[in-house]
């Protein structure tokens, strides 16, 4: 059974993609709910076409007292319903056509207990669902409120001799179906709205990521200008000889490069550097000593709000130490690991009693500020013991890829809710009809309804039961399904006296409970097979005993078939939307995570470039104003170091989500140790996960620590069809100081010395090579 | 080629870089500077003069300050006309360099390579052989869509691109220095051929080499 669906507002078997509509510039909120309702309306109207076939078949087996010209009405109604389902006619025209045909059918009906009238009555009963999906709000209720009594009155007027139980049953069933359909519509609209919101979120996140990448292109232009100006000039001066033979030309070039880059950089939004100890030293008159993880790395780890709060809190602590500690030196230490970022501020001053008065001083400027940004803050101090403040921000465990309420979980809830509503409606309406039609009589319909009620109670309780107990409930419902059918038929004396009040759909809750509430596909199909067998056996037995009710059994099997088929169609659409909604939610979360990671890496790279650029511009400025000589070997060496640093940092790939922060940290540490780091990143190469990135990052940091100052170290990433590789080549690296080579599933590694160079290789399965 | 000095054109927008390159060429008795230009368009403009001399080799910088980068199609036209093109680049844009490599240029030399390397690259190109700097090797090795290399070629490429000296690459592969160099030249030839341009006999041969039909 395929799900009906709509794409672009039209019927389409291809499926419905909520994100398509959101991408559209003409997007209308609520489109998805409208599309869902429209697809159900189409399914109902096509069901209306099919039911005309049932009515026509019933007419043909009902004997010759009904004029065959009624078949033309069947044909006309079928055509109108079909036109309505394809939007050739408005839905309300098809609805009126279906109900108008009922008057005609009642008019020509001769016998009360004929297959024809039985089929017509079930057309009437089932199609009370239609107004809720064709008309909106009160219009649907008003239509049912008008049509229902009108039909009953028409029937009484046309056939005053018929038993009163027909209009009574029709009224109760009609009211029950109308209420159930309104509840179902409301649930489905709410569900579609949720899925649409997920899709809209996904599209917004994708747009944000696209905007971010567009901004990255702007940033690429900045880097290109750097290459064409400062980096090339530094390289030329570093090369010496002919490039710097004309001093005036060199100075002019340096002057123009500085002016060009400064004017370009002045147009960028400014981003104040964080943990700027030089600024604090000057401002507060103390010497601030920074150690540990460089600030350039912190900006790649902390979210913006936490970063700003941390910067403000540390600044306040430094200021506090300057004012009250009586010391001239303050230490700031930062440490980043896989789980957290910890920054400590310590002075060896007079300290205090540890009593921090709420609402004032440190309580507000440090503790409250930090906690508001999700940072744990603690201050340890005692008189004469100095102040030791610790600020700790913990990383989220993992990126949350499954939002708390997913389209799938909501689809489960909608499906189950509709299952309970249908079961309750069938049971309640059945008891009402039975008690009204057979007052004071305990018919076989009651045990049928009792089987349903008990089954519903068991299914409800089974939510908390173990697997074996749930299996027993499934077995119960499989057995109850044919029993219900037979007992409900028994409620009308197996068609021997009156078949009209036969509660043919009493069997449907057992099937729906199995499928939608117990989620047992096998149980559902076993139950369906059992009911089919019951229908066949009952028909054969009646036929064998020459009972005229045999055709009625076949007609009586049609309402459950239509209800369950319709159920499958609706649930199929809901499930299809759930899959897409879930996909959209995942895409949104993924895009958000990528945006945040790329922003953090871009921020870190910018910090790195800005830090290196400031010093490079200072050098070029000094050459331009003549205070430094471009022929001096010391100046040429400095130019060479700046050129190499800027060239490699500008080439960092912001899409290297896992390894990016580690590379930035490596650059910062290499710079601090006076090591010339050359980094080569293969396009699209990255670690598999945060853990593998941490292992590779630790290896690189270990290699930097084992390299003597002044030497160079090359770190390269290469992507292959099956594995990605990290290769470290270094001069004078002390092997004994290297950390252990990382290992993992599918990883390989090697290390060897080749003359003066050391070669370290690590390979790991690339992400694309993993089996799906 | 032995009878006369090779005629060279320098296209480089950065004045200090250009002066350095011009000085190097002028100091080499086997080379003669035909002209130096800021942009490729300037060079094309001089070539349109009726009495313009045709250069043997153009030393070409890819990125131009305050203007668009070099168009790979313009480079392809030069190559088609039989002008040797040696790219002299800071390699700030890997995609641009890859696009230019597809045109069949004679080689790539990095701006931070030594002056000796630059001269060796020029003479190698003039012998119609290929030259590849470690940085160019890095750009090739970093390309997942690189052509299919033999095991030794790929290993030589990655080790060389990672910063190992040619001697260290040879030692790691257990081959002679010249053999390692040959591997790298093949790599360059295959990569240049991966543009799948096969209009001449030479180009067809390169295509066949890429598919490892010939070596």
């Amino acid at each position: 059974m395929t799900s009906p669906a709509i794409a672009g507002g039209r019927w389409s078997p291809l499926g419905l993609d909520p994100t398509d509509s959101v991408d559209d510039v003409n997007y209308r909120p609520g489109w998805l709910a409208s599309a869902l309702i429209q697809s159900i309306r189409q399914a109902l109207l096509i069901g209306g076409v099919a039911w005309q076939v049932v009515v026509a078949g019933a007419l043909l087996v009902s004997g010759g007292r009904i004029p065959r010209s009624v078949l033309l009405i069947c044909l006309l109604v079928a055509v109108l319903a079909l036109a309505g389902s394809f939007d050739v006619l408005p839905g309300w025209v098809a609805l009126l056509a279906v109900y108008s045909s009922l008057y005609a059918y009642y008019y020509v009906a001769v016998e009360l207990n004929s297959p024809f009238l039985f089929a017509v009555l079930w057309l009437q009963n089932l199609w009370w669902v239609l107004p809720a999906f064709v008309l909106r709000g009160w219009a649907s209720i008003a239509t049912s409120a008008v049509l229902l009594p009108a039909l009953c009155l028409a029937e009484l007027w046309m056939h005053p001799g018929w038993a009163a139980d027909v209009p009574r049953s029709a009224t109760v069933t009609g009211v029950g179906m109308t209420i159930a359909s309104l509840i179902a519509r409301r649930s489905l609209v709410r569900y579609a709205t949720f899925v649409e919101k997920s899709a809209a979120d996904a599209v917004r996140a994708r747009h944000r990521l696209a905007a971010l990448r567009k901004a990255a292109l702007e940033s690429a232009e900045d880097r290109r200008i750097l290459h064409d100006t400062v980096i090339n000039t530094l390289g030329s001066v570093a090369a010496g000889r002919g490039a710097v033979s004309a001093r005036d030309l060199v100075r002019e070039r340096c002057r123009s490069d500085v002016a060009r880059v400064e004017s370009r950089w002045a147009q960028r939004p400014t981003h104040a550097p964080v943990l700027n100890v030089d600024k604090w030293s000057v401002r507060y008159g103390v010497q601030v000593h920074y150690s540990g993880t460089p600030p350039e790395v912190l900006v790649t780890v902390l979210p913006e709000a936490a970063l700003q709060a941390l910067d403000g809190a540390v600044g306040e602590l430094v200021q506090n130490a300057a004012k009250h500690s009586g010391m001239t030196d303050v230490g700031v230490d930062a440490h980043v690991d896989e789980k957290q970022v910890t920054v400590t501020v310590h002075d060896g001053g007079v300290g205090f009693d540890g009593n921090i008065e709420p609402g004032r001083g440190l309580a507000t400027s440090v503790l409250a500020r930090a906690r508001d940004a999700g940072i744990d803050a603690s201050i340890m101090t005692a008189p004469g013991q100095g102040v030791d403040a610790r600020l700790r921000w913990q990383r989220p465990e993992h990126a949350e890829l499954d939002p708390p309420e997913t389209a799938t979980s909501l689809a489960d809830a909608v499906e189950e809710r509709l299952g309970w509503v249908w079961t309750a409606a069938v049971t309640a309406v059945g008891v009402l009809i039975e008690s009204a039609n057979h007052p004071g009589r305990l018919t076989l319909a009651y045990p049928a309804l009792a089987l349903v009620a008990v089954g519903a109670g068991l299914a409800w309780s089974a939510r908390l039961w173990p697997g074996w107990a749930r299996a027993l409930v499934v077995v119960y419902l499989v057995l109850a399904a044919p029993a219900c059918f037979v007992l409900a038929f028994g409620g009308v004396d197996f068609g021997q006296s009156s078949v009209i009040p036969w509660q043919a759909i009493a069997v449907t809750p057992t099937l729906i409970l199995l499928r939608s509430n117990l989620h047992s596909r096998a149980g559902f199909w076993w139950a369906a097979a059992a009911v089919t067998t019951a229908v066949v056996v009952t028909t054969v037995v009646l036929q064998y005993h020459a009972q005229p009710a045999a055709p009625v059994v076949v007609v009586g099997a049609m309402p459950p078939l239509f209800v369950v088929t319709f159920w499958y169609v609706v649930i199929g659409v809901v499930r299809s939307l759930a899959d897409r909604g879930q996909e959209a939610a995942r895409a949104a979360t993924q895009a958000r995570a990528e945006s945040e990671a790329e922003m953090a890496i871009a921020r870190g790279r910018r910090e790195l470039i800005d830090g290196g650029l400031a010093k490079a511009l200072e050098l070029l400025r000094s050459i331009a104003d003549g205070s430094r000589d471009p022929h001096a070997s010391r100046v040429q060496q400095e130019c060479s170091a700046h050129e190499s640093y800027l060239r490699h940092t500008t080439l960092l790939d912001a899409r290297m989500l896992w390894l990016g922060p580690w590379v930035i940290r490596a650059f910062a540490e290499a710079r601090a140790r006076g090591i010339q780091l050359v980094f080569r990143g293969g396009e699209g190469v990255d670690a598999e996960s945060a853990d593998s990135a941490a292992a590779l990052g630790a290896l690189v940091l270990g290699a930097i620590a084992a390299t003597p100052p002044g030497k160079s170290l090359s770190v390269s990433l290469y992507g292959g069809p099956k594995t990605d590789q990290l290769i470290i080549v270094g001069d004078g690296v002390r092997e004994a100081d290297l950390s252990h080579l990382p290992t993992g599933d599918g990883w390989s590694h090697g290390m060897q010395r080749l003359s003066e160079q050391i070669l370290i290789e690590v390979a790991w399965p690339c992400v694309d090579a993993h089996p799906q | 080629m032995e009878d006369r000095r090779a005629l060279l054109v320098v296209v480089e927008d950065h004045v200090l870089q250009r002066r350095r390159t011009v000085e190097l060429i002028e100091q080499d008795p086997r080379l003669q500077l035909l002209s130096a230009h800021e942009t490729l368009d300037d060079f094309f403009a001089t070539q349109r003069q009726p009495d313009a001399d045709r250069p043997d080799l153009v030393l070409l910088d890819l990125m131009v300050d305050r203007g668009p980068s070099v168009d790979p199609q313009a480079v392809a036209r030069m190559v088609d006309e039989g002008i040797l093109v040696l790219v002299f680049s800071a390699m700030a844009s890997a995609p641009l360099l890859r696009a230019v490599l597809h045109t069949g240029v004679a080689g790539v030399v990095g701006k931070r390579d030594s002056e000796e390397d630059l001269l060796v690259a020029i003479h190698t190109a003039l012998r119609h052989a290929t030259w590849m700097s470690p940085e160019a090797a890095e750009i090739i090795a970093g390309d997942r869509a690189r052509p299919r290399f033999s095991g030794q070629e790929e290993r030589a490429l990655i080790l060389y691109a990672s910063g190992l000296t040619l001697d260290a690459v040879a030692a790691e592969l257990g081959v002679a220095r010249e053999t390692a160099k040959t591997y790298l030249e093949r790599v360059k030839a295959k990569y240049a051929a991966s543009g799948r341009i096969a209009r001449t006999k030479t180009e067809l041969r390169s295509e066949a080499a890429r598919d490892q039909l010939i070596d």
Side-chain angles (χ1 to χ4, degrees), chain A residues 139-170:
Chain A
S140 65
I141 298 172
T143 303
S144 298
V146 170
L147 286 177
L148 191 54
L151 270 171
C152 292
L153 289 172
E155 184 206 325
L156 286 171
W157 175 68
M158 292 176 197
H159 302 286
W162 285 0
D165 53 358
V166 176
R168 193 166 47 223
S169 300

Side-chain angles (χ1 to χ4, degrees), chain A residues 224 227-228 232-233 235-236 239 241-243 245-246 249 253 260 640 643 647 651 680 683-685 714 716 718-720 724-725 727 729 752 754 757 759 761, chain B residues 14-17 19-20 23 63-67 69 90-92 94 98 111-112 115 135 138 141-142 144 146 155 158-159 161-165 168 171-172:
Chain A
R224 194 179 96 99
H227 263 276
D228 293 340
N232 268 347
T233 302
S236 299
R241 299 198 197 173
S245 57
L249 200 58
R253 180 73 204 196
R260 174 103 192 272
S640 176
E643 188 270 351
R647 188 152 50 96
L651 292 176
R680 302 173 168 112
E683 280 178 34
V685 182
S714 148
S716 311
Y718 298 112
D724 288 341
Q725 277 182 284
I727 297 182
V729 174
Q752 62 180 303
L754 297 159
Q757 293 182 300
L759 170 67
E761 293 178 276
Chain B
H14 194 282
V15 62
L16 303 184
Q17 295 273 10
R19 285 175 62 87
R20 174 201 173 210
E23 183 192 48
M63 307 284 269
V64 179
D65 187 17
R66 296 174 193 268
S69 299
M91 302 184 214
R98 288 192 187 118
K111 285 202 173 167
R112 298 295 294 131
E115 292 172 352
E135 280 182 292
E138 169 212 329
R144 280 187 191 271
R146 58 181 178 254
R155 186 100 183 108
I158 289 181
L159 293 174
S162 302
L164 284 187
T165 62
E172 170 66 9

Side-chain angles (χ1 to χ4, degrees), chain A residues 231-439:
Chain A
I231 294 175
N232 268 347
T233 302
L234 287 167
S236 299
V237 177
R241 299 198 197 173
V244 293
S245 57
R247 281 190 173 82
D248 289 345
L249 200 58
V250 176
R251 285 176 185 147
E252 177 51 35
R253 180 73 204 196
C254 290
R255 203 171 5 255
S256 71
D257 284 354
V258 169
R260 174 103 192 272
V261 170
E262 281 184 340
S263 70
R264 172 82 186 184
W265 257 241
Q267 294 166 11
R268 301 192 318 179
T270 53
H271 178 271
V274 294
L275 301 187
N276 188 340
V277 293
D278 294 339
K279 181 185 75 180
W280 290 331
S281 295
V282 172
R283 182 179 293 173
Y284 303 129
V286 288
Q287 191 63 41
V288 185
H289 304 279
Y290 189 92
S291 61
T293 308
E296 295 94 326
V297 176
L298 296 185
V299 300
T300 68
V301 178
L302 289 156
E304 188 66 29
L307 190 67
Q308 295 307 323
L310 184 74
D311 186 55
V314 174
E316 289 293 335
L317 287 163
V318 170
Q319 185 183 13
N320 196 62
K323 280 183 182 172
H324 306 297
S325 71
M327 303 297 289
T328 55
D329 295 272
V330 179
V332 176
D333 181 74
H335 179 72
V336 176
D337 62 31
E338 293 78 30
K339 293 181 179 171
Q340 58 192 12
V341 174
T342 310
V343 176
T344 55
V345 181
H346 51 95
D347 65 61
V350 296
F352 62 101
D353 62 4
N355 182 24
I356 300 170
E357 198 175 330
R360 298 183 60 187
L362 287 177
T364 308
S365 60
V366 177
L367 301 182
R369 182 203 296 248
R371 282 171 191 151
D372 285 349
I375 299 170
D376 290 332
S378 60
I379 294 176
M380 287 171 288
T381 182
Q385 299 295 310
V387 174
D388 229 333
R390 193 175 75 149
L391 302 159
R392 192 180 59 153
W393 176 83
Q394 287 187 300
R395 291 175 190 259
E397 280 296 312
H398 294 287
E400 182 63 66
L401 288 180
D402 293 315
E405 188 179 39
T406 64
T408 304
S409 67
L410 197 59
D412 288 341
V414 166
E415 185 178 348
E416 287 187 16
R417 190 182 307 141
L418 294 180
W420 300 127
V421 166
W422 180 253
T423 304
V426 169
T427 312
V429 168
V431 170
L432 272 175
I433 291 173
E434 206 60 24
S435 60
N437 288 345
H438 306 101

Side-chain angles (χ1 to χ4, degrees), chain A residues 5 8 10 47 109 123 168 204 235 318 384 424 508 514 529 612 629 665 706:
Chain A
R10 309 289 298 176
L123 173 65
R168 193 166 47 223
R204 273 194 292 272
V318 170
T508 56
L514 281 166
D629 183 0
R665 187 170 169 186

Side-chain angles (χ1 to χ4, degrees), chain A residues 313-646:
Chain A
V314 174
E316 289 293 335
L317 287 163
V318 170
Q319 185 183 13
N320 196 62
K323 280 183 182 172
H324 306 297
S325 71
M327 303 297 289
T328 55
D329 295 272
V330 179
V332 176
D333 181 74
H335 179 72
V336 176
D337 62 31
E338 293 78 30
K339 293 181 179 171
Q340 58 192 12
V341 174
T342 310
V343 176
T344 55
V345 181
H346 51 95
D347 65 61
V350 296
F352 62 101
D353 62 4
N355 182 24
I356 300 170
E357 198 175 330
R360 298 183 60 187
L362 287 177
T364 308
S365 60
V366 177
L367 301 182
R369 182 203 296 248
R371 282 171 191 151
D372 285 349
I375 299 170
D376 290 332
S378 60
I379 294 176
M380 287 171 288
T381 182
Q385 299 295 310
V387 174
D388 229 333
R390 193 175 75 149
L391 302 159
R392 192 180 59 153
W393 176 83
Q394 287 187 300
R395 291 175 190 259
E397 280 296 312
H398 294 287
E400 182 63 66
L401 288 180
D402 293 315
E405 188 179 39
T406 64
T408 304
S409 67
L410 197 59
D412 288 341
V414 166
E415 185 178 348
E416 287 187 16
R417 190 182 307 141
L418 294 180
W420 300 127
V421 166
W422 180 253
T423 304
V426 169
T427 312
V429 168
V431 170
L432 272 175
I433 291 173
E434 206 60 24
S435 60
N437 288 345
H438 306 101
R441 254 183 73 195
L442 189 63
T443 66
L444 284 175
Y446 285 112
L449 294 169
L451 283 174
V452 171
V454 170
L458 289 171
W460 180 272
S461 307
R463 293 178 307 162
L464 304 173
W465 289 353
W468 64 267
R470 290 171 65 87
L472 286 179
V473 177
V474 169
V475 171
Y476 167 85
L477 284 168
V478 168
L479 296 173
C484 262
F485 183 84
V486 175
L487 287 171
F489 194 33
V492 290
D493 299 330
F494 297 98
Q496 291 181 41
S497 55
S498 166
V499 293
I500 292 301
W502 178 17
Q503 302 200 31
I505 59 168
V507 67
T508 56
T510 56
L511 292 158
I512 286 168
L513 286 170
L514 281 166
R515 180 71 191 86
S516 294
N517 297 79
L518 288 167
H519 305 292
S520 171
R521 279 175 185 270
F524 170 83
W525 288 113
W526 276 110
V531 171
T532 307
T533 306
V535 170
V536 172
V537 170
T538 309
T539 308
V540 169
V541 168
L542 287 175
Q543 190 70 33
Y544 181 76
H545 290 287
Q547 292 292 331
V552 174
V553 180
V554 178
V555 175
M558 291 298 117
L561 178 66
F562 271 64
V563 167
V564 173
T565 303
F566 176 69
W567 189 271
Y568 242 84
V569 167
V570 172
I571 295 307
V573 175
V574 167
R575 288 284 160 201
S576 155
L577 286 182
D579 291 345
R580 292 172 186 276
Q582 188 80 346
E583 201 178 303
R586 280 179 182 278
T589 313
Q590 187 69 35
R592 273 195 292 272
E594 282 185 26
S595 296
E596 283 173 17
E598 288 191 19
M599 276 171 67
I601 293 168
R603 220 161 47 208
R605 180 175 59 188
R606 189 168 144 180
E607 292 273 328
L608 279 175
I609 295 171
D610 286 356
L613 185 61
K615 289 177 179 153
L617 289 179
E618 197 179 311
L619 178 60
L620 292 183
R621 215 177 280 120
S622 68
I623 295 171
D625 65 19
S627 58
R628 301 196 75 181
D629 183 0
H631 286 106
S633 62
R634 173 77 187 155
V635 171
Q636 290 177 357
Q637 282 170 12
E638 283 181 40
C639 284
S640 176
H642 284 305
E643 188 270 351
S644 174
Y645 177 83
L646 280 177

Side-chain angles (χ1 to χ4, degrees), chain A residues 184-207:
Chain A
R185 182 194 162 108
R186 185 180 164 81
S187 295
L188 291 169
V189 167
R190 285 179 62 187
Y191 170 72
T193 304
F194 174 86
V195 173
E196 188 182 282
K197 186 173 169 298
S198 298
D201 281 349
V203 171
R204 273 194 292 272
R206 280 210 306 267
H207 286 173

